[in-house]
Amino acid sequence: MRLTEFNELMTTEFGVTRADSILVDHVLTEFAGRTGAQAIEDGVDPRDVWVAICRDFDVPRERW
């Protein structure tokens, strides 16, 4: 997944302000306690970050 697509999905699902906050503040246990932004910066595929965020925030699976 391209980063632009990831950002689009985040904004569509959560809105601009909340998406930004989730990305930099929410700790993802699946990625050793890193935030989504940290995981992506460390080279994790944005698709994997998206799925982890969806799980944590109970986003319906059909939106993954």
Side-chain angles (χ1 to χ4, degrees):
M1 170 185 286
R2 298 174 65 119
L3 192 53
T4 53
E5 183 183 359
F6 170 81
N7 288 326
E8 218 173 88
L9 288 169
M10 288 289 292
T11 301
T12 299
E13 186 64 38
F14 300 107
V16 174
T17 304
R18 188 165 182 224
D20 290 345
S21 176
I22 289 169
L23 192 57
V24 298
D25 295 329
H26 181 72
V27 174
L28 299 164
T29 56
E30 291 181 44
F31 298 109
R34 293 178 284 180
T35 65
Q38 290 169 327
I40 289 171
E41 186 175 311
D42 290 345
V44 175
D45 187 319
R47 159 71 71 209
D48 297 332
V49 174
W50 170 246
V51 170
I53 290 171
C54 287
R55 285 186 189 127
D56 284 0
F57 287 89
D58 296 321
V59 174
R61 191 165 181 87
E62 60 269 3
R63 293 190 203 152
W64 299 7

